[in-house]
Amino acid sequence: MDRHLLPDEMDQLLDGDVGIDIAPLEAHVRECSRCQADLDQGRRIIEAVEHAPPLAPSPLFAAHVM
């Protein structure tokens, strides 16, 4: 592959997709430090979001919206 991964290709790797289309993406990431860094950053973001405290609206939220 002579280019960096596209956002949808990166999403496939982050989502853990499997199949014949994934092998070339994984091979590219092994050889490309930029794409590896982007993939690592995506994994850190997912980890942070999954472990973030749940958000709850203020008790006055509905009144403020209306």
Side-chain angles (χ1 to χ4, degrees), residues 11-24:
D11 287 345
Q12 288 178 311
L13 293 174
L14 290 169
D15 289 344
D17 288 356
V18 295
I20 196 164
D21 297 337
I22 299 301

Side-chain angles (χ1 to χ4, degrees), residues 2-41:
D2 59 348
R3 61 173 173 76
H4 295 294
L5 295 183
L6 300 173
D8 63 315
E9 293 170 329
M10 193 66 68
D11 287 345
Q12 288 178 311
L13 293 174
L14 290 169
D15 289 344
D17 288 356
V18 295
I20 196 164
D21 297 337
I22 299 301
L25 303 180
E26 292 172 333
H28 174 78
V29 168
R30 283 192 297 273
E31 301 296 322
C32 178
S33 60
R34 177 180 164 189
C35 289
Q36 179 62 52
D38 288 347
L39 186 63
D40 290 342
Q41 181 181 19

